Amino acid sequence: MKLHLKKTGLLIAGLTMGSQLMAQTTDSTKNYVQPFAGGSPFRTWSVGLQAGMSSINTLFQDKTDYVTANEKLMYGGYIKKQLLHGLGVQASFMRGHLQGSGPRDASYPIQRFDTEIKYAVDLQAVITLANINWRSQQSFIQPYISFGAGNMNFASTLYANNGTTSSVGNTRQWYIPVGTGFKFNLGPVVNLDLGYQVNFVNGDNLDQYYRGDKRDKYGMAHAGLEFVLGKSSKPQLAAHNPVASMRYEYLMEQRRLQGEIDAQKADNRRLRSDLDATNANIARLTTDSDGDGVVDISDKCPNTPAGTKVDGSGCPLPAPVTPVRVVVTEEDRRVVREAIKNLEFEFGKATIREKSFPSLQRVAKILVDKNFSLKLAGHTDNVGSAEANMKLSKDRAESVKAYLVEQGANPSRIEAVGYGKNQPIASNKTEAGRQKNRRVEFTLY
């Protein structure tokens, strides 16, 4: 008895605490639903699983038929439809055992009973309490009460003082369930259900002990999980706070109006700034601070000295530059002719012989000192294919260019081309004529 009262006291304390918390939640607006919104913005269907301990002792304590209540396991489930924020309809199913010993009348021959509740099905109204909180959109704890009607089927086994047993077969009886408890929202889909329910049986045969016209009853403390069906993006109707949604709507409208006022003030400040800038620009249209004939708004070079000639943007005009004329002297031509005369290659190759280096070095010095441009034109005789001669003439001109660049000449001022056997200066019928046709011509400019 003391153990049962201690459990009952803890349950009442927990329920009182849940009522005082008034469903504390975070201020997240992810579960916000606009007031009077149409359609189906909520999740209203859920299923639950429960398990707990049954006892012939209840909160409505009086003298039971048996002195000692032996708590036994009961379990079951339910399906629930939430109709309103504070009202739902729940269809439940439970089964388990009840047990008691020590008859209150010492002369009663039965020492102990064990009743198997094969099923207990009922339909209950579930009223959710304290789901209105001005600071929260979604409740975290929802206290509730429930009541309804149901029908059960049970069978009892009686244990006599002399050691014999007897059984009473299937018995059906109506009962009235009355419950209370609270649910914790563990997540968008799962709730923890803690509660206590007393079932008032319409008869005195649950324990097969008849004492006058007294009806039996039993209680069950349970814990379970409730799974809310539907899209997790939608809030639970039972946990939703309609008053907080209306308050949030009011605050959002207030913020929107304040935002419009702040935006209008910012526009006024911007218009004032634009007007001041426009007045300043108008003043600059006629101001020429440095007196160069270009107004300040277009003057990219302000504060030019008096008398300085400027362009249309107010910047000083550049001083005229006298071009330097480059003249090719007769000495320069002589150096080039000597280089052409002394230029020799390895037979059939583009490799320059060392005896040609000194005269080529003098040509390179002219190119460096006077920044002349030079065209190198390679030629061959008619011995061999046209394709081979064209390649050899080009390679020899490039070889001369490469050597001059090594000596410091500017490569961008040297052009190397090959003409093959297409431009002979002598007859290719004699060895002397072919020798003259194998050449690289230098054109200095």
Side-chain angles (χ1 to χ4, degrees):
M1 179 70 71
K2 292 181 179 180
L3 178 61
H4 179 74
L5 291 176
K6 185 180 293 185
K7 292 180 179 179
T8 303
L10 291 174
L11 179 62
I12 295 174
L15 183 58
T16 303
M17 179 186 67
S19 299
Q20 291 175 346
L21 288 175
M22 289 296 289
Q24 299 296 318
T25 67
T26 63
D27 285 332
S28 171
T29 59
K30 68 177 183 179
N31 291 314
Y32 167 74
V33 175
Q34 186 178 12
F36 313 110
S40 301
F42 300 102
R43 286 178 292 157
T44 59
W45 285 97
S46 61
V47 296
L49 299 174
Q50 297 175 340
M53 303 302 294
S54 65
S55 174
I56 59 175
N57 291 329
T58 69
L59 289 176
F60 304 94
Q61 191 63 40
D62 56 5
K63 291 185 178 181
T64 58
D65 294 337
Y66 288 85
V67 176
T68 303
N70 302 323
E71 286 82 1
K72 301 297 288 184
L73 175 66
M74 294 198 76
Y75 59 91
Y78 62 85
I79 182 169
K80 177 185 172 187
K81 169 66 175 180
Q82 194 71 23
L83 303 177
L84 303 172
H85 283 83
L87 176 63
V89 176
Q90 177 175 302
S92 303
F93 168 85
M94 296 295 294
R95 67 175 299 168
H97 284 261
L98 282 173
Q99 192 177 95
S101 60
R104 196 164 296 278
D105 185 353
S107 64
Y108 191 64
I110 303 302
Q111 177 61 30
R112 178 169 59 92
F113 83 94
D114 188 325
T115 295
E116 178 189 3
I117 299 177
K118 297 183 177 181
Y119 67 81
V121 293
D122 56 62
L123 187 66
Q124 300 185 51
V126 181
I127 299 176
T128 303
L129 307 174
N131 66 343
I132 295 178
N133 186 332
W134 288 92
R135 295 176 299 171
S136 304
Q137 296 290 342
Q138 185 83 0
S139 300
F140 173 59
I141 304 176
Q142 304 101 47
Y144 67 87
I145 60 175
S146 62
F147 57 89
N151 187 268
M152 65 171 62
N153 181 292
F154 57 89
S156 301
T157 301
L158 304 177
Y159 299 85
N161 293 329
N162 60 9
T164 62
T165 62
S166 60
S167 299
V168 179
N170 293 338
T171 303
R172 292 184 180 181
Q173 198 64 267
W174 289 96
Y175 68 95
I176 296 177
V178 177
T180 185
F182 49 90
K183 295 180 181 180
F184 292 88
N185 296 123
L186 303 181
V189 177
V190 182
N191 299 327
L192 173 63
D193 183 6
L194 301 177
Y196 180 76
Q197 180 173 301
V198 178
N199 294 326
F200 296 87
V201 182
N202 187 31
D204 192 24
N205 57 347
L206 187 62
D207 54 9
Q208 303 303 325
Y209 189 156
Y210 299 90
R211 289 198 307 137
D213 189 20
K214 183 178 178 181
R215 291 178 173 81
D216 290 331
K217 57 183 175 293
Y218 68 94
M220 187 188 76
H222 71 264
L225 293 177
E226 180 182 34
F227 300 93
V228 185
L229 306 179
K231 294 182 179 179
S232 59
S233 59
K234 295 182 178 181
Q236 304 178 37
L237 181 56
H240 185 259
N241 182 357
V243 177
S245 289
M246 296 178 67
R247 176 177 178 269
Y248 176 78
E249 190 78 7
Y250 163 76
L251 292 176
M252 289 300 99
E253 181 65 16
Q254 184 183 43
R255 292 177 186 176
R256 185 187 66 79
L257 293 175
Q258 186 62 49
E260 291 182 357
I261 294 173
D262 294 342
Q264 187 62 50
K265 290 180 179 179
D267 289 341
N268 292 340
R269 288 193 295 268
R270 185 169 58 254
L271 289 174
R272 169 53 60 185
S273 176
D274 292 344
L275 180 60
D276 293 342
T278 300
N279 292 335
N281 288 334
I282 292 174
R284 290 177 60 193
L285 289 175
T286 57
T287 302
D288 181 11
S289 301
D290 53 10
D292 59 0
V294 180
V295 294
D296 290 351
I297 194 172
S298 301
D299 198 340
K300 295 182 179 179
C301 299
N303 303 320
T304 54
T308 302
K309 293 183 179 180
V310 298
D311 57 17
S313 62
C315 294
L317 293 170
V321 179
T322 303
V324 178
R325 185 177 181 185
V326 179
V327 179
V328 180
T329 65
E330 183 59 34
E331 176 61 21
D332 298 333
R333 293 189 179 90
R334 186 191 65 77
V335 171
V336 171
R337 287 195 298 270
E338 182 179 356
I340 295 173
K341 179 180 178 182
N342 295 331
L343 181 61
E344 293 183 7
F345 296 92
E346 296 294 340
F347 179 76
K349 298 180 181 179
T351 304
I352 303 173
R353 291 180 176 175
E354 292 186 5
K355 63 174 294 186
S356 305
F357 291 164
S359 57
L360 288 177
Q361 290 170 1
R362 288 190 287 272
V363 172
K365 188 175 186 307
I366 294 175
L367 297 178
V368 173
D369 293 345
K370 297 188 176 183
N371 201 26
F372 284 155
S373 295
L374 179 67
K375 180 178 179 181
L376 301 171
H379 301 272
T380 64
D381 56 23
N382 64 347
V383 178
S385 66
E387 181 179 356
N389 285 327
M390 183 62 72
K391 182 178 183 306
L392 180 60
S393 65
K394 173 66 174 176
D395 290 346
R396 286 181 172 178
E398 290 288 351
S399 180
V400 175
K401 177 180 178 179
Y403 183 82
L404 295 175
V405 171
E406 289 178 2
Q407 303 305 310
N410 186 349
S412 64
R413 289 188 169 273
I414 302 176
E415 179 186 7
V417 295
Y419 293 100
K421 62 181 182 179
N422 297 328
Q423 296 182 5
I425 58 174
S427 174
N428 282 312
K429 294 181 179 180
T430 64
E431 177 57 33
R434 288 192 295 272
Q435 177 64 36
K436 290 182 180 181
N437 290 332
R438 296 192 293 268
R439 69 196 188 277
V440 176
E441 295 179 345
F442 291 53
T443 303
L444 195 64
Y445 59 94

